[in-house]
Amino acid sequence: MNETEKQLKDMDMVSSNINFYNRKTKFMPAVLDFSVTSDEGHAFLDVVQMSNGLDLDADQVNIYDLYGHVIESGTITKNDTYSENNEKWLEKAVRLRGYKFLSAPYETRKYSAGASNSAWYLSLYRASLDGQNRVIGGIETVKNCKVLFHDITAYLSKSSTQADILIFDSDGTLIFPYDTTENHKDISQTYYQTLSGTNDSYGIGTDPESGIKYQYARQTSTYSGWTYVALQQNNAILRPVYQMLRVLITITGLMVLFSIILSLYLTHNMVKPIKHLKHVIQRLRLENLGEEKLDHYDASYEELGELYREFQKMSESLQQSLAELEIAQKLELKSRVIALQVQMNPHFYYNTLSCISILAENGQNKDVTKLCQTLSRIMRYITNTGITIVTVADEIHYIEEYMYCMKVRYQESLNYHIDILPEIMEQKIPKLIIQPLVENSIKYGTNCLPPWKITITSFRDKSMWYIRVTDSGNGFGEEVLDELNEKIATINRDLNHNLTDLKIGGLGMINVYIRWKLYCGDDIVFDFGNTEDGHAYVTIGRKTPGGTGNMTIPKEKGFIL
């Protein structure tokens, strides 16, 4: 078993090394349409052969793209094509996104190196990934079954105790012996069905064909998922025990008879309350803790009565602890969401107060009054933590107040345009969910010569609605896009693992994504990137419940999350 598992791990390591090297160097293009005899093909094969190692951990390595091309390296090295009907494993590999799975042994002449006879092989499959963990194809590593199972066949050929070894995968398919008859496969399936009904790692069974008793030992590999079963006939290993069994039969019979009498006596007095407690435990769920009262149940023995009472106390204590824990988690989550909501760039206040000071020095009293009133409304909107959910109309009104302050500061250098569909205005959203996007647009969209323009538009169809903020700056850099995607992927893992472990930090897009993800869940629409003109945009929206349309967001460079 250990040697076979080691060879499977070696095959696995080949495809893992190819994926790792590709994520670091991007040597594998999305379309494998180049010739293996070209310079690009030689470089490609060098990486594959280097990953295979000097000892050739796999007899054959086949690299597939998603467009019908395949490059084969090993016993045969060439370009080839495939169809989805011939390589159905590729669909499963795409779903598993980099996790391995094994085929059953199969017979083929393809890798027999010109021999007229076919041979048995086994393949390990996994998806090939690019540097951003996107699936771009599949990797197949192939091993000759004679080599893979050499240690097992060598042991069976030397064994003098009529031993037999069977290997099954997790679906019960016979893996070893692989070159056997259909009748033997059916018998092996009988073994598997018999053994699958028990969790014992060893025991006694009956040969379904001959009726001879056998001893079995089995072990399931945590790596491959295969179950290894070793079978030996009783008469080969238990012959010295048979004589002693004859002596013990009489004593065992008397002990069994005594046990039956004692069991009947104990059953009469103990089984009923124990069965009752068993049924209570089987019915026990988190939602019904403490509901079923047991402290007044009439048990046959004081010890059982005490057990009932303690079980009742434990159930009630667990119910109270779960209730307290749920309240604490809700309060903690609410405080974190509020903390995320009220974060605001202090420079906005400094700059606005500076504008007020300048206007006052210039004697523009009306402008000072209007700007102070606007700032007052902004602060009232931000500091009202009692309201965390508002309408789009409320948020847009606040943004108009905010943009007025920015317009006062930047004068003719800054222009903005807001166009929101009336049917979107009543959508519910977390407060201060759009403003950070506008603030980011002003912060990073003004890193170029004026005039600058901020555009806020909207869209709605049967499948979703969204609001998009676009600036006139130089757009997102590739490193910034990669960093944002990495941070959002980390946040998604934290949200799936434990919502209360969410860390609060930073402003802008990450703040918005966290709060919008908490609010929308799987219905979230969040998109960012660059327009055709190279300007940055960020889109925030939500899928429409029960929508029938296809969700398609117009975009240039960006990522749908």
Side-chain angles (χ1 to χ4, degrees):
M1 170 181 172
N2 291 336
E3 180 61 27
T4 299
E5 290 290 310
K6 178 182 179 301
Q7 295 201 50
L8 291 176
K9 291 179 180 178
D10 291 341
M11 294 171 63
D12 186 13
M13 186 60 67
V14 173
S15 56
S16 296
N17 288 342
I18 292 174
N19 263 345
F20 176 82
Y21 192 76
N22 185 49
R23 287 196 295 270
K24 295 296 182 183
T25 64
K26 299 181 180 178
F27 83 94
M28 186 188 304
V31 181
L32 304 175
D33 55 354
F34 53 87
S35 172
V36 295
T37 60
S38 65
D39 292 340
E40 184 179 4
H42 287 306
F44 183 91
L45 291 176
D46 286 343
V47 174
V48 175
Q49 292 166 0
M50 177 183 66
S51 301
N52 200 7
L54 296 176
D55 295 331
L56 296 180
D57 296 326
D59 297 332
Q60 182 76 23
V61 181
N62 301 325
I63 313 295
Y64 296 76
D65 65 13
L66 299 178
Y67 304 96
H69 304 94
V70 56
I71 293 180
E72 301 175 343
S73 173
T75 305
I76 57 174
T77 300
K78 65 175 184 177
N79 292 94
D80 206 347
T81 59
Y82 73 93
S83 66
E84 293 182 358
N85 292 332
N86 294 335
E87 304 295 345
K88 295 183 177 179
W89 62 266
L90 189 56
E91 181 180 352
K92 181 177 179 181
V94 171
R95 290 199 308 271
L96 292 178
R97 297 187 62 81
Y99 288 97
K100 71 171 191 317
F101 64 99
L102 298 165
S103 74
Y106 55 89
E107 189 177 18
T108 181
R109 295 182 181 179
K110 184 175 181 179
Y111 307 120
S112 299
S116 59
N117 295 328
S118 59
W120 287 84
Y121 294 86
L122 185 139
S123 294
L124 184 145
Y125 305 111
R126 67 158 26 94
S128 56
L129 306 174
D130 63 9
Q132 296 174 339
N133 283 336
R134 294 177 296 196
V135 176
I136 60 174
I139 305 173
E140 177 188 17
T141 52
V142 184
K143 193 80 171 182
N144 190 304
C145 288
K146 284 186 177 180
V147 178
L148 185 62
F149 301 108
H150 174 267
D151 279 15
I152 296 177
T153 54
Y155 167 77
L156 293 176
S157 64
K158 296 177 182 178
S159 176
S160 60
T161 57
Q162 298 177 320
D164 196 6
I165 294 179
L166 305 174
I167 303 176
F168 302 93
D169 66 11
S170 58
D171 296 326
T173 303
L174 182 65
I175 302 298
F176 183 88
Y178 48 88
D179 54 347
T180 186
T181 64
E182 289 297 325
N183 182 51
H184 188 266
K185 289 183 179 179
D186 293 339
I187 296 174
S188 300
Q189 280 296 316
T190 305
Y191 283 122
Y192 179 81
Q193 293 170 4
T194 302
L195 298 178
S196 62
T198 176
N199 294 323
D200 296 333
S201 58
Y202 59 91
I204 301 175
T206 302
D207 189 302
E209 188 175 32
S210 63
I212 299 175
K213 294 287 185 179
Y214 63 85
Q215 296 276 347
Y216 71 87
R218 68 173 182 177
Q219 183 175 355
T220 299
S221 168
T222 57
Y223 175 76
S224 65
W226 288 355
T227 299
Y228 295 76
V229 181
L231 305 171
Q232 284 189 324
Q233 293 184 3
N234 280 2
N235 55 13
I237 59 176
L238 298 178
R239 190 174 294 109
V241 182
Y242 289 154
Q243 294 180 352
M244 183 174 290
L245 285 178
R246 297 188 185 96
V247 176
L248 296 176
I249 287 176
T250 303
I251 298 175
T252 302
L254 293 175
M255 292 180 64
V256 169
L257 180 60
F258 175 79
S259 299
I260 292 174
I261 296 173
L262 182 61
S263 297
L264 291 175
Y265 174 78
L266 296 177
T267 299
H268 180 73
N269 293 281
M270 297 184 65
V271 168
K272 184 178 179 180
I274 291 176
K275 282 187 175 181
H276 178 259
L277 183 58
K278 172 188 173 183
H279 295 320
V280 171
I281 295 173
Q282 288 175 337
R283 294 192 297 269
L284 190 63
R285 299 292 185 273
L286 290 178
E287 57 271 16
N288 62 9
L289 280 171
E291 292 182 0
E292 192 161 356
K293 304 300 181 182
L294 301 175
D295 46 0
H296 298 302
Y297 186 81
D298 185 18
S300 303
Y301 296 93
E302 178 59 28
E303 290 81 0
L304 289 175
E306 185 176 351
L307 177 63
Y308 270 59
R309 290 189 293 273
E310 292 301 321
F311 181 84
Q312 179 66 33
K313 291 179 182 179
M314 179 195 72
S315 177
E316 294 173 351
S317 177
L318 284 175
Q319 182 186 30
Q320 181 179 359
S321 298
L322 285 174
E324 293 174 353
L325 179 60
E326 182 178 4
I327 292 173
Q329 288 178 337
K330 288 181 179 178
L331 290 175
E332 181 182 359
L333 179 57
K334 182 177 180 181
S335 66
R336 289 176 180 270
V337 172
I338 292 175
L340 283 170
Q341 174 180 294
V342 300
Q343 294 186 73
M344 184 67 179
N345 192 339
H347 293 291
F348 167 72
Y349 296 111
Y350 302 153
N351 295 330
T352 305
L353 291 174
S354 297
C355 291
I356 293 173
S357 176
I358 294 171
L359 292 174
E361 290 176 356
N362 294 336
Q364 297 173 256
N365 296 333
K366 291 183 179 180
D367 292 333
V368 170
T369 301
K370 183 176 180 181
L371 189 55
C372 288
Q373 291 173 346
T374 302
L375 183 58
S376 176
R377 288 192 294 270
I378 288 176
M379 294 180 68
R380 187 181 301 112
Y381 183 80
I382 292 174
T383 58
N384 185 6
T385 58
I387 299 176
T388 59
I389 303 300
V390 298
T391 63
V392 171
D394 294 331
E395 186 79 354
I396 293 300
H397 178 70
Y398 163 70
I399 291 173
E400 289 173 343
E401 303 273 12
Y402 175 81
M403 291 304 296
Y404 170 76
C405 296
M406 294 294 101
K407 182 68 174 176
V408 170
R409 177 187 176 188
Y410 291 106
Q411 298 297 317
E412 297 303 321
S413 295
L414 176 65
N415 297 304
Y416 65 92
H417 174 70
I418 301 176
D419 183 14
I420 304 298
L421 296 172
E423 57 266 31
I424 296 179
M425 285 295 195
E426 296 306 314
Q427 293 289 336
K428 298 292 186 180
I429 59 174
K431 188 167 70 173
L432 293 176
I433 198 74
I434 303 175
Q435 184 273 339
L437 304 181
V438 177
E439 182 179 350
N440 270 6
S441 295
I442 295 175
K443 180 178 179 181
Y444 298 106
T446 56
N447 290 335
C448 60
L449 294 175
W452 310 301
K453 185 175 182 180
I454 306 299
T455 304
I456 304 173
T457 56
S458 65
F459 172 83
R460 179 169 186 167
D461 63 11
K462 293 182 180 180
S463 63
M464 66 171 175
W465 64 266
Y466 68 75
I467 295 173
R468 173 171 291 175
V469 180
T470 308
D471 61 45
S472 59
N474 296 323
F476 292 105
E478 293 296 332
E479 293 183 359
V480 174
L481 288 173
D482 293 340
E483 182 181 1
L484 288 172
N485 277 289
E486 182 178 354
K487 287 183 178 180
I488 289 174
T490 302
I491 290 168
N492 287 334
R493 289 193 295 271
D494 290 340
L495 286 170
N496 292 330
H497 178 258
N498 189 346
L499 199 59
T500 58
D501 286 343
L502 183 62
K503 302 297 183 184
I504 299 174
L507 299 173
M509 287 179 59
I510 299 304
N511 182 316
V512 170
Y513 180 78
I514 293 173
R515 294 172 54 218
W516 194 231
K517 179 68 174 179
L518 289 172
Y519 185 73
C520 296
D522 293 335
D523 293 335
I524 185 173
V525 173
F526 194 80
D527 180 33
F528 57 90
N530 297 322
T531 66
E532 287 183 347
D533 299 329
H535 306 312
Y537 72 85
V538 181
T539 301
I540 181 173
R542 189 169 190 175
K543 300 174 188 175
T544 303
T548 57
N550 293 324
M551 190 185 78
T552 303
I553 298 182
K555 69 189 185 72
E556 298 301 327
K557 300 177 182 177
F559 304 89
I560 298 296
L561 303 175

